[in-house]
Amino acid sequence: MKLLTMEILKKLPAQGSTEGQGKDAMAQVKFFTPDSNWTWYAVEYNPDAKMFFGLVDGFEKELGYFGLGELEQIRGPMGLKLERDLYFDPVPLRELM
């Protein structure tokens, strides 16, 4: 599965553009490991650096940066690749935290 499509790239705000929105910033894309409980929610994207800013829900929930290359290399405990939630609708960070 392709993690980023042109349609998604058009939706994702530029990195830094949602600063000041706090928990009202919208998570636009959800990535997850189908064989574990880790989830990444992308709020912003920098196409030059291929870096996202968003919420990572793993051992704990935290805001931060994560790279597209990093996501593409992730394998869960059973060796499954990361997937994009095809049915995810944008949601404010406050609902995810």
Side-chain angles (χ1 to χ4, degrees):
M1 163 186 290
K2 192 170 184 176
L3 295 180
L4 279 182
T5 64
M6 290 306 284
E7 182 180 330
I8 293 170
L9 286 171
K10 289 177 186 175
K11 281 193 229 180
L12 280 165
Q15 208 160 37
S17 66
T18 66
E19 192 172 330
Q21 292 182 15
K23 293 180 183 176
D24 290 326
M26 299 292 284
Q28 299 290 331
V29 186
K30 175 184 174 183
F31 305 105
F32 66 97
T33 50
D35 55 349
S36 77
N37 61 342
W38 282 73
T39 308
W40 294 257
Y41 297 93
V43 173
E44 302 173 345
Y45 185 64
N46 177 336
D48 296 327
K50 296 187 179 181
M51 292 292 292
F52 296 96
F53 176 78
L55 177 69
V56 180
D57 186 356
F59 294 122
E60 56 188 54
K61 292 182 181 184
E62 60 183 321
L63 293 172
Y65 295 91
F66 47 95
L68 178 60
E70 174 188 12
L71 295 180
E72 291 172 335
Q73 293 178 4
I74 291 174
R75 300 293 180 269
M78 297 172 51
L80 298 177
K81 293 180 179 182
L82 193 84
E83 295 185 19
R84 177 174 35 88
D85 186 340
L86 301 175
Y87 305 101
F88 180 74
D89 290 321
V91 61
L93 287 175
R94 75 176 57 260
E95 291 183 25
L96 301 171
M97 297 181 88

